Amino acid sequence: MVEPVRWRRRVPLWCTVTALAAVLGVALSGATKPGTEVGFLQSGHWVFNSVLQVVFHLDGASGTLDAQAAMPGAEPGSQVVQGETGGYVVGGNRIVEFGKSDLEAKKSIATGTDERPVALEVAGGPYLVYRQAGRIVRLGDRLTTVPAGGGLGEPVVTTAGSLWVHQPAGGSICELARDADRLACPAGAPGGHTGGLTVVADRPVFVDTTTDTAHPIGADGLGPGTALGVDAPPDARFAATDVAGRIAVLDPPRRRVHLVDTGPGRAAPVSVDLPAGDYAELASAGEAVVLLDRAKNSVLTYDSRGALKQNVPMPPGEPRLAKGEDSRVYVDSHDGGHVLVVGNDGEVRPVPVGGPPTPAAQPPPPPRQPEPPPGPSPKPGQSPKPPPAKTQRQQPESVPAQPQQAPANPAGPPGAPPGVKATAGNAAITVSWGAAAPNGGAVREYHVSWSSSAGGGSRTVAGGTRSTALSGLSNGTTYKITVTAENVAGRGPGAGATGTPVAPERSITLSRGSLVTSIDDCSIPECAYLRVVAKGFAPGQSYTFVPHATATSYQGGSATKTAKADGSITFEAFHFDQIDETVWVTADGLKSNPIVWTKG
């Protein structure tokens, strides 16, 4: 039985959840077409403090803890991953699911194994990859288990939600597309070659450590190899994503990390000799590489030029690296009581997670009243005089004590906005979301932020708003968008989506427009304007349209028009009246459809 979940302010939600059991080893059959929904983007990081038996949500941007829920009975050392609406406390043989908006425990799932999986947060996920068992589990509303046919190397994911795995024994390189329940294996490493996977510019790449080459992976297999320029040993490890466009290669035996540029006009590789230690894990924070030294329990960050940024110690135990969908790297201590947040530039921020409650201060005792001084001693033979009677004050009538009203429960930060979607357009994305759970305080604002390799920004909208349009974006660039709600208690956990603006195909469509009756040199009723409808042009930019005709005597002039926000231009101009002649329009090197003029 999963215990009721309680808020940070320790107000019980009084919701008891019945524990369910399920074995993850049941494989589903059949294939499904990958979904076309825009990926849900998770914000921040959840961590399980096994001493307090509580999961905490950490806002990576501010380094603050903004939500928590009790998870009694969860296994020490469990990691937490989050999906679209729920979080999952993943232990060695049990997973506890909880809701992100209401922080209520939902169910308990038996894994049927003691293997600790590789956990990945991505659109359509999260995923658990059991490398030794050779299976992949997609968590969510519909738990899916996919057999991978043998042991697996380190998995990688793209922002679109595709998970890629390499099978070292057979060499197969396989993709589990978003919403699919079967692997597709479009590529394979040459027989006997060793290597691993990474992602460069959001595209999967196989690094062949036998030939020291990097190969992009496409639908037709491995692409041409690019020389690394360094010696990568068979046991080399790779960061799951690139570091400012470079592949991060860890050489554990030589205690060295290489940063390799494989792009066009590539720069020379950068090699860094690491301090004495035991290096087994690395990750990319975007512009910096993050390394974990298990010998000293410390985290080292280097920028893309190989310069050391920081070396920060961790508490004793076995820390764990995790890459968040917000592009930050999180390093959890073994007991979950300490997290290092590594920003895009490699700066490290330590965050203590939870702690024992501070005991309430006891009020000081009331001051003692001074005793009156003794009176004069009586003379011999004289009876002592009684002390003067004190003036009696009239006591008020006793009033029955009124029962005190219990103070109202303080508001907590709102929940994550549900159903965040991003609809991409021409140089623009429209973001929409549902109402976040207020958690005791009305939502007064939503904060929308976006980031990409081309830059980013943020804006704040009113609490009643459910959508906003982002314009002036770069076509072909993927943007990560996060929406957070705020009430009187502060901001809650964020949720978001990814979107890639795409310029529509440009076109100019020509048709016969309105009749012209006021021009002397134009025959009636054959005389009419040309109607021009242009689409896919750059918003706000002006274009000059010129008419042409097979009639050599035709001179129609030109017209300069400005594209609207959606890239469209519609107007009528250029009167024409020459029967059986062909007319068309050009603009910015693009030609319209030709039309043959007929009688009016």
Side-chain angles (χ1 to χ4, degrees):
M1 181 71 71
V2 180
E3 295 293 329
V5 176
R6 290 174 170 79
W7 279 99
R8 174 173 42 195
R9 60 180 186 271
R10 307 193 184 279
V11 178
L13 299 178
W14 304 115
C15 178
T16 304
V17 185
T18 303
L20 304 178
V23 177
L24 298 181
V26 179
L28 302 180
S29 61
T32 61
K33 183 179 180 180
T36 57
E37 294 275 336
V38 175
F40 191 89
L41 178 67
Q42 315 306 332
S43 175
H45 176 68
W46 290 87
V47 61
F48 173 61
N49 186 316
S50 58
V51 176
L52 302 178
Q53 293 283 287
V54 173
V55 291
F56 293 88
H57 182 265
L58 170 60
D59 179 359
S62 63
T64 58
L65 303 174
D66 52 24
Q68 71 179 61
M71 289 291 151
E75 301 173 40
S78 293
Q79 57 186 322
V80 186
V81 291
Q82 56 181 327
E84 185 169 328
T85 58
Y88 305 85
V89 185
V90 181
N93 51 43
R94 190 162 71 96
I95 301 171
V96 178
E97 179 184 357
F98 63 92
K100 286 168 57 177
S101 60
D102 57 11
L103 297 182
E104 292 185 14
K106 303 298 182 184
K107 58 185 175 182
S108 177
I109 307 167
T111 65
T113 179
D114 292 332
E115 180 184 347
R116 297 276 179 166
V118 178
L120 301 165
E121 293 179 355
V122 70
Y127 292 98
L128 303 178
V129 179
Y130 293 84
R131 296 178 55 197
Q132 298 176 16
R135 67 183 181 187
I136 303 167
V137 176
R138 180 191 292 114
L139 300 170
D141 295 336
R142 184 173 70 92
L143 183 145
T144 304
T145 300
V146 180
L152 302 172
E154 289 287 342
V156 297
V157 292
T158 65
T159 57
S162 289
L163 182 145
W164 290 83
V165 291
H166 171 228
Q167 299 170 336
S172 296
I173 299 173
C174 305
E175 176 191 16
L176 180 62
R178 179 177 176 178
D179 297 331
D181 56 20
R182 179 177 298 173
L183 287 172
C185 302
H193 286 219
T194 57
L197 298 177
T198 185
V199 172
V200 179
D202 208 28
R203 182 177 180 182
V205 172
F206 176 72
V207 182
D208 189 327
T209 56
T210 302
T211 59
D212 291 329
T213 53
H215 302 259
I217 304 168
D220 298 328
L222 295 182
T226 300
L228 298 178
V230 298
D231 179 19
D235 57 352
R237 303 288 298 274
F238 310 98
T241 56
D242 64 89
V243 179
R246 293 175 177 260
I247 299 174
V249 184
L250 174 63
D251 183 345
R254 299 187 182 98
R255 294 198 304 270
R256 179 175 290 184
V257 64
H258 307 283
L259 297 167
V260 179
D261 184 1
T262 59
R266 58 186 180 274
V270 175
S271 298
V272 179
D273 291 321
L274 303 173
D278 178 14
Y279 301 93
E281 293 186 60
L282 76 166
S284 168
E287 300 291 329
V289 62
V290 185
L291 293 154
L292 183 58
D293 178 4
R294 293 198 178 279
K296 300 184 181 66
N297 256 37
S298 61
V299 173
L300 293 81
T301 62
Y302 293 84
D303 65 20
S304 60
R305 299 179 299 276
L308 177 66
K309 295 284 292 185
Q310 287 192 259
N311 187 340
V312 181
M314 287 286 289
E318 296 183 5
R320 178 173 52 243
L321 285 176
K323 180 69 176 287
E325 272 197 85
D326 58 3
S327 298
R328 295 180 178 86
V329 173
Y330 297 89
V331 188
D332 300 348
S333 64
H334 180 71
D335 63 1
H338 195 86
V339 176
L340 297 183
V341 183
V342 185
N344 179 266
D345 57 357
E347 293 296 326
V348 182
R349 176 190 297 174
V351 179
V353 180
T358 304
Q362 298 296 325
R368 295 183 60 183
Q369 297 295 329
E371 295 182 0
S377 300
K379 295 179 180 180
Q382 185 180 14
S383 299
K385 294 182 179 181
K390 295 181 179 180
T391 304
Q392 298 292 326
R393 295 183 179 178
Q394 186 175 1
Q395 298 294 327
E397 295 181 5
S398 61
V399 179
Q402 297 294 327
Q404 293 185 349
Q405 297 290 333
N409 294 329
V420 176
K421 293 183 180 180
T423 303
N426 183 17
I429 295 177
T430 299
V431 187
S432 61
W433 60 89
N439 295 337
V443 175
R444 59 188 183 186
E445 291 177 336
Y446 287 97
H447 302 276
V448 182
S449 61
W450 59 96
S451 63
S452 73
S453 59
S458 63
R459 70 174 51 159
T460 300
V461 297
T465 305
R466 294 292 177 268
S467 68
T468 188
L470 312 179
S471 59
L473 306 182
S474 298
N475 286 327
T477 299
T478 298
Y479 288 82
K480 295 182 178 181
I481 302 162
T482 304
V483 183
T484 57
E486 181 177 354
N487 63 9
V488 67
R491 296 191 189 187
T498 59
T500 305
V502 178
E505 184 177 353
R506 296 200 310 171
S507 64
I508 303 176
T509 303
L510 186 64
S511 61
R512 193 164 182 154
S514 304
L515 292 177
V516 178
T517 60
S518 59
I519 300 178
D520 295 336
D521 62 348
C522 195
S523 303
I524 299 173
E526 285 76 22
C527 188
Y529 287 114
L530 302 182
R531 177 177 172 79
V532 180
V533 177
K535 295 181 179 180
F537 286 75
Q541 185 169 332
S542 297
Y543 298 89
T544 299
F545 292 80
V546 179
H548 308 269
T550 54
T552 57
S553 61
Y554 178 68
Q555 294 181 350
S558 64
T560 300
K561 302 293 181 180
T562 302
K564 296 180 180 179
D566 62 356
S568 67
I569 302 172
T570 302
F571 66 97
E572 288 191 356
F574 318 130
H575 61 276
F576 196 77
D577 65 349
Q578 303 189 43
I579 306 302
D580 295 331
E581 296 287 352
T582 302
V583 63
W584 65 94
V585 172
T586 60
D588 198 35
L590 187 65
K591 180 181 178 180
S592 75
N593 59 299
I595 59 173
V596 178
W597 209 254
T598 59
K599 293 183 179 182

